[in-house]
Amino acid sequence: MAQKGEPIIEVEGLMTRFGDHVIHEDLDLTVNRGEVIGIVGGSGTGKSVLLRTILGLKKPDAGRIRVFGIDLAELPEEERRLHERRWGVLFQDGALFSALTIAENIQVPYREHLHLSQELMDELAAIKIAMVGLRPTAASLYPSELSGGMRKRAGLARALALDPEILFLDEPTAGLDPIGAAAFDDLINELKEALGLTVFLVTHDLDTLHATCDRIAVLAEKHVILVGTIDDMLRSDHPWIHEYFHGPRARAALAGK
Amino acid sequence: MLRIAASGDWTIAHLSAADGELRSLTAGPVKAGRAVIDFSGIARFDTSSAAVLERTARLLEEKGLRVEFEGVSEPQRRLLDKIDTYGTPDTSKAPPAPFYIELVERIGVTTREIGEEARGMLGFIGTVVSAIGRTAANPRRFRLVPFVHHMEKSGFDALPLVCLLTFLIGAVVAQQGAVQLRQFGAEVFTVNLIAIIFLREVGLLLTAIIVAGRSGSAFTAEIGSMKMREEIDAMRALGLDPMEMLVIPRVAALTVTLPLLTFIADLMGLLGGGVVVFFMLDMSPGVYMSRVQEAVDFWTIAVGLIKAPFMAAVIALVGCRAGLSVTGSAESVGAMTTRSVVRSIFLVIILDALFAMFFTAVGI
């Protein structure tokens, strides 16, 4: 078993751009095994693009990305797929397959990658559904029959299907009510404790940052300008970070701690 | 004493075989007493394996054994406790109903849906008519720009397709007709065949079906995606009437353009037939035209053209209504678009049959 604390995601000198529009330039970021790292930044600073680039959904225009100590872009297709099973992704609105029920959605990776009996798959899907705090009856429902918060939980259940080492979450609490969002924060903490997950969290939500993150990386001016704990953020005098962590909403979130 | 020694990687990738063995173990008879599950040989462990081992322990306990876990590491213990809190997952499914019950149920559901759909369509036609009434009372509220835009999109832009297809069908009908009629030495009547069949029926039907596929589906998809993005609700909230903004311009545009398209389709069909007749029967264009004139009278053309606006209205109404019935999801737009095309082609042909009965009754 790999040691806790060793780097699991390493991004070096990353550059991404759309046409002439440069999103990231010379971006460095290291995520350690077992930590929850929050990625913050203003709208349009490329938080989601960074996530998609690490996942290999977008090609970097320069720089290297190593996940699990391996540069996945250099691996042949087959081997890359093997490593891709070691992470789980929750997209913004769950990105569940609309033609499948929740249980079938969770079973998609089982069906594609493993040969399990239907009995075992049903059992495992039921466990994952319980794990993310959905009612057992949700198993046979279609995504369109669920509320936004339930869809996110179901998406998380699918992301957890293969017991990933890294969990990527893209704005997991956006669009949830405060109670639902707080419950989601608890869920992330709980799963991280029980499963020893590394969580890569893109968020706008200050409460989530406070509640879940070990470290925070701030994206601005096309690269990561600061990585550190909440306290490091509070001490920083960079104008954007100051504004973000000392604004009225931030004070309210801190006061709630 | 029963001893289960787990060793190696207990992860989902290797779980299948172990699960089978454990299942057959718990399904068969076991001696009462003590059972030990030994974890000390496990290298890697995950939630799925925890679930399987928890289940095994539970089933053994149900058979009266005392189950103990041995050599469990701290992280494994946490995982097992976590899985234990979820209890027995209920994976039982309702048994499927016997096929005859399902058959009756489906017939019933479909019948009810047809009834509801008919009611809904009637209601929709009523709404549109009342909106047309309002617009007629206050003509300045008629949206001229979208009206012209849709005339161009569903009428003018359809011209190449309609012309080509009707020309080809005209040629095919003439060629087949000539081959058959030649057996009676009556090949000159090929002209009557083309002229009557095209002007009364085929020109219009072909055009209506092309337009249903081209514009009916477009109406559904356009309005449907607006509905999906809550644009229709936004219109209502801003005090705008979606009927007036979206439906009436489309219905009006199609009602005007379909007769025009049909007229052009009739001409192209005659042209296609004429070309075949020229080459197969050596009939000069002049003779062809005078024979066409003899074969048809005013009512032959009128019968075709009278039907056109009705079919246009049906296509547009079905298309718009399907668009407005789209619910939240993207696949709903696709389903409604398919349904709109199928339904409008179906209704166009039904309508044509009704008109045929009507014209026979009045003797034209």
Side-chain angles (χ1 to χ4, degrees), chain A:
Chain A
M1 197 77 191
Q3 278 304 302
K4 198 169 175 156
E6 71 173 36
I8 191 166
I9 303 174
E10 296 152 275
V11 181
E12 277 169 32
L14 175 72
M15 160 140 106
T16 49
R17 58 168 182 234
F18 292 106
D20 289 339
H21 184 54
V22 177
I23 311 282
H24 303 129
E25 202 165 16
D26 207 15
L27 183 148
D28 297 318
L29 178 67
T30 306
V31 181
N32 299 318
R33 191 176 280 274
E35 73 173 347
V36 178
I37 189 159
I39 310 295
V40 299
S43 298
T45 49
K47 303 186 293 294
S48 293
V49 176
L50 176 62
L51 182 136
R52 294 173 61 84
T53 314
I54 295 174
L55 291 176
L57 298 172
K58 182 183 184 334
K59 267 207 167 72
D61 293 291
R64 279 157 65 80
I65 297 174
R66 278 200 301 272
V67 187
F68 312 116
I70 312 157
D71 191 339
L72 294 182
E74 286 175 358
L75 289 184
E77 179 81 11
E78 282 289 303
E79 278 178 58
R80 205 180 66 224
R81 296 249 174 265
L82 278 178
H83 286 290
E84 281 174 354
R85 287 189 221 165
R86 295 168 66 189
W87 68 47
V89 189
L90 170 62
F91 289 97
Q92 269 199 30
D93 194 34
L96 295 163
F97 303 119
S98 51
L100 305 177
T101 63
I102 301 307
E104 287 166 346
N105 259 290
I106 297 171
Q107 290 166 1
V108 165
Y110 300 153
R111 245 180 257 278
E112 286 305 308
H113 300 313
L114 307 164
H115 299 283
L116 303 178
S117 67
Q118 185 63 44
E119 228 177 348
L120 181 59
M121 286 200 293
D122 285 343
E123 198 178 318
L124 294 181
I127 291 274
K128 303 292 173 189
I129 285 170
M131 209 179 238
V132 296
L134 286 173
R135 277 175 286 110
T137 45
S140 56
L141 297 179
Y142 286 92
S144 56
E145 296 171 297
L146 298 181
S147 69
M150 287 166 82
R151 269 207 296 277
K152 288 208 165 149
R153 282 170 184 264
L156 184 61
R158 187 180 66 186
L160 292 172
L162 292 175
D163 272 43
E165 292 164 49
I166 313 176
L167 186 61
F168 291 93
L169 304 172
D170 194 359
E171 308 234 2
T173 52
L176 298 187
D177 64 74
I179 299 171
F184 211 96
D185 294 344
D186 290 344
L187 180 64
I188 293 170
N189 280 333
E190 204 177 289
L191 291 173
K192 177 200 148 202
E193 279 303 310
L195 309 178
L197 290 170
T198 307
V199 181
F200 185 98
L201 178 77
V202 170
T203 190
H204 269 307
D205 189 334
L206 284 153
D207 292 302
T208 303
L209 287 176
H210 286 299
T212 62
C213 292
D214 299 317
R215 289 198 305 155
I216 294 167
V218 183
L219 266 184
E221 298 148 19
K222 297 175 186 166
H223 57 270
V224 176
I225 53 171
L226 182 63
V227 188
T229 61
I230 282 274
D231 293 330
D232 295 335
M233 298 297 138
L234 291 172
R235 276 197 296 272
S236 165
D237 48 13
H238 185 281
W240 190 86
I241 300 177
H242 188 84
E243 174 96 37
Y244 192 91
F245 287 94
H246 291 271
R249 284 166 164 251
R251 275 201 295 277
L254 264 182
K257 288 306 288 181

Side-chain angles (χ1 to χ4, degrees), chain B residues 36 50 60 72 77 86 88 106 131-132 176 250 285 307 330 362:
Chain B
V36 171
L60 289 174
V72 182
R77 164 70 56 203
Y86 304 136
T88 318
R106 280 174 73 159
I132 290 174
Q176 290 297 320
R250 285 178 169 80
K307 293 188 281 191
V362 297

Side-chain angles (χ1 to χ4, degrees), chain B residues 84-314:
Chain B
D84 195 34
T85 56
Y86 304 136
T88 318
D90 179 19
T91 54
S92 61
K93 289 170 186 158
F99 81 96
Y100 50 88
I101 293 194
E102 200 180 325
L103 183 74
V104 173
E105 185 191 326
R106 280 174 73 159
I107 293 174
V109 168
T110 312
T111 312
R112 208 191 58 200
E113 272 173 9
I114 292 173
E116 274 171 11
E117 187 53 41
R119 253 181 60 143
M121 192 69 207
L122 209 61
F124 182 70
I125 293 174
T127 320
V128 174
V129 169
S130 76
I132 290 174
R134 264 176 285 142
T135 312
N138 189 358
R140 277 172 51 194
R141 290 173 62 169
F142 184 71
R143 314 277 157 164
L144 197 63
V145 175
F147 170 69
V148 176
H149 169 76
H150 288 297
M151 287 215 324
E152 181 187 343
K153 260 177 57 174
S154 53
F156 188 76
D157 291 352
L159 267 178
L161 190 64
V162 168
C163 288
L164 179 66
L165 293 186
T166 46
F167 177 86
L168 290 176
I169 297 287
V172 170
V173 168
Q175 190 259 340
Q176 290 297 320
V179 169
Q180 297 300 318
L181 290 170
R182 184 174 282 161
Q183 298 177 24
F184 308 101
E187 57 256 55
V188 284
F189 286 107
T190 308
V191 180
N192 299 48
L193 178 77
I194 305 164
I196 290 175
I197 214 172
F198 247 88
L199 298 187
R200 277 188 83 113
E201 298 290 344
V202 172
L204 169 68
L205 267 181
L206 218 65
T207 315
I209 289 170
I210 293 169
V211 166
R214 245 187 120 263
S215 307
S217 59
F219 290 175
T220 309
E222 286 161 10
I223 297 179
S225 48
M226 289 179 78
K227 177 85 189 289
M228 200 177 72
R229 289 192 303 249
E230 298 184 314
E231 287 175 45
I232 310 272
D233 295 331
M235 277 184 186
R236 288 217 173 92
L238 288 169
L240 304 170
D241 182 7
M243 288 291 159
E244 204 177 291
M245 307 265 300
L246 302 174
V247 178
I248 292 182
R250 285 178 169 80
V251 174
L254 214 57
T255 314
V256 172
T257 49
L258 189 64
L260 298 176
L261 276 177
T262 303
F263 184 70
I264 292 167
D266 288 348
L267 294 184
M268 290 306 290
L270 289 180
L271 182 65
V275 169
V276 168
V277 167
F278 176 73
F279 286 109
M280 274 184 76
L281 308 179
D282 285 331
M283 192 183 281
S284 72
V287 177
Y288 179 70
M289 278 203 273
S290 67
R291 291 203 69 92
V292 168
Q293 272 179 353
E294 280 167 37
V296 304
D297 58 8
F298 168 73
W299 281 107
T300 318
I301 299 180
V303 160
L305 292 182
I306 284 170
K307 293 188 281 191
F310 292 95
M311 293 190 177
V314 164

Side-chain angles (χ1 to χ4, degrees), chain B residues 70-87:
Chain B
E70 250 181 42
V72 182
S73 72
E74 187 46 39
Q76 291 169 353
R77 164 70 56 203
R78 267 208 306 264
L79 211 52
L80 287 169
D81 288 348
K82 183 104 195 112
I83 298 292
D84 195 34
T85 56
Y86 304 136

